[in-house]
Amino acid sequence: QSALTQPPSASGSLGQSVTISCTGTSSDVGAYNYVSWYQQRPGEAPKLIIYEVSKRPSGVPDRFSGSKSGNTASLTVSGLQAEDEADYFCSSYAGRNSYVFGTGAKVTVL
Amino acid sequence: QVQLVESGGGVVQPGRSLRLSCAASGFTFSSHAMHWVRQAPGKGLEWVAIISYDGSNKYYADSLKGRFTISRDNSKNMVYLRMNSLRAEDTAVYYCARYNYDYHAFDNWGQGTLVTVSS
């Protein structure tokens, strides 16, 4: 149950796009389409923004999109806005009723 | 609306025990699996444990097996985490989270309760 690997940080200017990777193994990310992404602003609880690799819950802007290739999932935030500045965590089902989270990536809006 | 409210955190000495509680409301609690997830200060999220909707199945992170116990009381809409033999590295904010099997994701989280293990 090793943590999924994310870059510590990513940045982009207002209106531009930023992509965050989430690398796991063939036992978690590569094995299941149960990758989800969470946004966490300082002092707040995580908020679900992407589930099952690329689906958005109701109310999440379509600026957020997800994808997966092999053992790596990605989150793209398009048209960056100031309020997108936050920490982003990926998560995956890892089999045998276990779950794993990513190391987290801090997104800065320049 | 869905609400999850954790309580029971605080400062505890190494080796002691603590029980966290999570009060759920706004949904049919007895139909949902529930999890505990923790976050050490300035660190990432770490999955801790899951309990099935009826409490019959419980699973834990390998690193925590034997020290932590998850339980629930569906008559009270409560989920608990009993933590024994606490260590400094257990210091974290502990969140309870609802698991949505339609989404295969944690769709609602509480605000968390801080546990500090220190002498």
Side-chain angles (χ1 to χ4, degrees):
Chain A
Q1 291 175 344
S2 297
L4 307 175
T5 301
Q6 298 180 240
S9 62
S11 62
S13 300
L14 276 170
Q16 292 192 330
S17 297
V18 65
T19 297
I20 304 164
S21 61
C22 168
T23 301
T25 70
S26 57
S27 297
D28 40 58
V29 174
Y32 307 96
N33 286 325
Y34 298 155
V35 175
S36 49
W37 289 88
Y38 303 86
Q39 177 191 65
Q40 187 180 35
R41 297 191 175 103
E44 297 185 3
K47 172 190 173 185
L48 176 66
I49 56 172
I50 295 287
Y51 66 95
E52 292 180 351
V53 176
S54 60
K55 300 175 183 177
R56 283 186 310 277
S58 172
V60 173
D62 59 7
R63 302 184 292 103
F64 294 90
S65 61
S67 62
K68 189 185 88 166
S69 177
N71 297 338
T72 298
S74 297
L75 172 73
T76 298
V77 186
S78 306
L80 271 171
Q81 299 186 6
E83 61 262 34
D84 298 334
E85 191 159 288
D87 292 328
Y88 291 83
F89 295 92
C90 58
S91 178
S92 176
Y93 179 63
R96 295 185 297 151
N97 294 288
S98 69
Y99 300 78
V100 63
F101 284 93
T103 50
K106 181 177 180 60
V107 168
T108 301
V109 180
L110 303 172
Chain B
Q1 74 281 18
V2 174
Q3 196 167 15
L4 300 170
V5 180
E6 302 92 339
S7 60
V11 180
V12 60
Q13 293 179 330
R16 304 297 291 266
S17 298
L18 200 63
R19 190 182 81 157
L20 306 182
S21 301
C22 172
S25 60
F27 65 103
T28 306
F29 180 72
S30 58
S31 296
H32 287 267
M34 296 295 295
H35 293 249
W36 285 97
V37 177
R38 69 182 183 181
Q39 185 171 33
K43 301 296 184 181
L45 300 170
E46 179 185 14
W47 176 71
V48 172
I50 176 178
I51 186 166
S52 61
Y53 69 100
D54 61 355
S56 62
N57 294 295
K58 307 170 187 181
Y59 301 94
Y60 302 89
D62 287 343
S63 60
L64 300 172
K65 276 180 189 172
R67 292 197 302 126
F68 287 19
T69 303
I70 190 171
S71 61
R72 68 189 294 160
D73 185 339
N74 284 349
S75 68
K76 296 180 179 178
N77 286 6
M78 297 288 294
V79 61
Y80 306 99
L81 184 69
R82 175 74 177 184
M83 304 183 293
N84 296 329
S85 304
L86 283 163
R87 308 166 181 167
E89 54 265 36
D90 295 319
T91 294
V93 174
Y94 285 75
Y95 296 100
C96 71
R98 187 181 81 166
Y99 198 76
N100 186 327
Y101 279 101
D102 289 336
Y103 289 1
H104 292 96
F106 305 90
D107 68 346
N108 282 275
W109 299 66
Q111 285 301 305
T113 187
L114 175 62
V115 173
T116 302
V117 183
S118 173
S119 54

